[in-house]
């Protein structure tokens, strides 16, 4: 049996596929700031839904050769990252879509593309604030991480700092804490903070502390305008998806093998178009398109991401 479509049907069908095309164009051109994800951690565009990352427990480090050569063992832990499916879509009665003045889908592609492009940020922020138990047996942000999970004699370190509201003094305290971290050989890791990560509510404070050329110094009892020695020391990442408004973070970028996080996400969303051949149209007279993305995040090395609470 042959199905005959009217001119009105053809207009509605074309609008549906046009929405899909405009969504893809907008998604590929989306300007959501995801650059910091790969600068600080691992940005993994992939169609995989699971990947495992090895966490070595024996620190590499060259030493003067004296006698037998030294070899690092293979003691290790691991972190597995799983993606989850995120979905949104639009639907409408086909007869309405075919009307000359129908405008319900005019802005939808750009809106959906913007939301989809920001999903990696949202998933990462959720992982950061969830503070799940990590590969070393304690919460990712903790005051007593084992330096080596297989050798308790190596001591502990911390990446959770409480009663540290975002102030000049506490920022400089944080710089010192990060720079003081050592590896399992007892050698300084040479870490230097490169970014401060803040929620919207702390953005202006962060700007004042690390962007302004001058600051008001009241330590001597008088308000003196002084050069800001912290100006330009770190970049600022404002992560609106963070929900705890008085907590901030220091991160270290460019540390291969010590990345604080990994974010996996599909390079292109999957689309499901429910056109006039679909049951949705046959039963309800509606057209729809659904967009799906696989996104997941996990925290890796606590050394390069420090949390400060007020």
């Amino acid at each position: 049996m042959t199905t005959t479509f009217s001119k009105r049907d053809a207009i509605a069908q074309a609008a549906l596929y046009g929405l899909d095309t405009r969504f893809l164009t907008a998604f590929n051109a989306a300007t959501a700031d995801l650059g910091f994800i790969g600068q600080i951690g691992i940005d993994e565009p992939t169609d995989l839904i699971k990947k495992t990352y090895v966490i070595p427990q024996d620190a590499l480090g060259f030493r003067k050769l004296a006698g037998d050569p030294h070899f690092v063992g293979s003691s290790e832990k691991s972190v597995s990252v799983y993606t989850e499916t995120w979905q949104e879509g639009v639907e409408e009665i086909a007869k309405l879509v075919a009307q000359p003045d129908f405008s319900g889908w005019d802005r939808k592609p750009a809106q959906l593309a913007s939301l989809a492009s920001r999903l990696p940020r949202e998933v990462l922020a959720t992982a950061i604030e969830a503070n799940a138990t990590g590969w070393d047996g304690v919460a990712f942000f903790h005051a007593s991480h084992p330096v080596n999970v297989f050798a308790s004699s190596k001591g502990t370190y911390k990446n959770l700092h409480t009663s540290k509201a975002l102030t000049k003094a506490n920022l400089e305290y944080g710089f010192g804490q990060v720079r003081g971290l050592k590896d399992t050989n007892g050698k300084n890791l040479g870490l230097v903070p490169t970014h401060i990560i803040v929620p919207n509510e702390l953005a202006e404070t962060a700007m004042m502390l690390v962007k302004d050329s001058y600051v008001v110094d009241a330590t001597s009892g008088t308000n003196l305008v002084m050069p800001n020695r912290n100006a330009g020391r770190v970049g600022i990442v404002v992560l609106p998806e963070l929900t705890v408004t008085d907590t901030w973070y220091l991160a270290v970028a460019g540390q291969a093998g010590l990345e604080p996080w990994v974010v996996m996400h599909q390079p292109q969303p999957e689309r499901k178009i429910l056109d006039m051949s679909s049951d949705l149209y046959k039963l309800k007279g509606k057209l729809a398109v659904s967009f799906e993305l696989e996104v997941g995040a996990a925290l890796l090395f606590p050394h390069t991401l420090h949390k400060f609470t007020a």
Side-chain angles (χ1 to χ4, degrees):
M1 179 178 177
T2 302
T3 302
T4 302
F5 295 112
S6 66
K7 182 178 180 180
R8 186 179 64 186
D9 294 335
I11 293 172
Q13 187 94 325
L16 177 67
Y17 281 89
L19 182 149
D20 176 62
T21 300
R22 286 186 292 127
F23 167 82
L24 279 182
T25 301
F27 179 83
N28 291 328
T31 57
D33 181 13
L34 301 179
F36 78 94
I37 291 179
Q39 290 172 4
I40 299 172
I42 301 173
D43 180 17
E44 191 79 65
T46 178
D47 288 318
L48 297 175
I49 61 173
K50 176 190 175 184
K51 191 168 183 179
T52 298
Y53 292 82
V54 172
I55 309 292
Q57 295 301 297
D58 297 296
L60 296 170
F62 283 93
R63 63 209 72 201
K64 185 185 296 184
L65 181 62
D68 294 334
H70 176 267
F71 298 97
V72 169
S74 59
S75 59
E76 61 188 36
K77 290 283 189 174
S78 64
V79 173
S80 292
V81 189
Y82 299 85
T83 62
E84 295 179 307
T85 304
W86 295 73
Q87 182 275 337
E88 184 56 287
V90 295
E91 68 174 10
E92 190 51 270
I93 298 171
K95 289 188 294 185
L96 294 179
V97 176
Q99 297 304 307
D101 61 347
F102 176 72
S103 60
W105 286 351
D106 288 356
R107 299 178 60 83
K108 288 296 193 296
Q111 292 170 345
L112 287 165
S114 177
L115 291 171
S117 69
R118 294 203 304 265
L119 267 177
R121 294 170 59 108
E122 180 179 339
V123 173
L124 175 59
T126 299
I128 289 173
E129 293 190 327
N131 197 24
T133 300
W135 50 267
D136 59 1
V138 298
F140 181 84
F141 296 109
H142 201 274
S144 187
H145 283 284
V147 172
N148 187 316
V149 296
F150 299 115
S152 59
S153 61
K154 297 288 186 178
T156 62
Y157 68 96
K158 66 179 178 179
N159 72 334
L160 173 62
H161 312 272
T162 58
S163 301
K164 298 295 179 184
L166 183 52
T167 64
K168 176 179 179 293
N170 288 336
L171 180 65
E172 292 172 355
Y173 159 86
F175 290 154
Q177 289 294 304
V178 175
R179 288 198 305 265
L181 292 184
K182 298 180 180 180
D183 65 17
T184 56
N185 294 324
K187 294 183 177 180
N188 191 285
L189 284 167
L191 300 178
V192 178
T194 58
H195 293 79
I196 180 171
I197 303 173
V198 295
N200 268 335
E201 291 78 5
L202 292 179
E204 293 303 318
T205 302
M207 289 283 187
M208 178 185 68
L209 290 174
V210 303
K211 292 294 184 183
D212 289 355
S213 299
Y214 296 91
V215 294
V216 175
D217 188 348
T219 55
S220 62
T222 58
N223 292 330
L224 299 176
V225 178
M226 305 285 290
N228 182 9
R229 70 172 190 163
N230 294 317
R233 290 184 74 174
V234 292
I236 299 175
V237 174
V238 180
L239 194 54
E241 293 80 3
L242 292 172
T243 61
V244 182
T245 60
D246 59 358
T247 294
W248 54 284
Y249 306 83
L250 281 178
V252 184
Q255 297 297 312
L258 279 178
E259 296 91 347
W261 61 60
V262 57
V263 179
M264 292 172 53
H265 54 95
Q266 275 183 299
Q268 291 289 312
E270 295 181 9
R271 293 111 60 216
K272 297 178 181 177
I273 300 176
L274 304 177
D275 60 14
M276 291 183 176
S277 64
S278 69
D279 289 339
L280 180 66
Y281 176 75
K282 294 173 183 177
L283 296 175
K284 297 183 178 182
K286 289 184 175 182
L287 302 176
V289 58
S290 172
F291 304 100
E292 296 182 3
L293 276 171
E294 293 287 336
V295 184
L299 303 182
L300 299 177
F301 289 91
H303 312 70
T304 49
L305 186 62
H306 289 241
K307 177 179 180 180
F308 301 81
T309 64

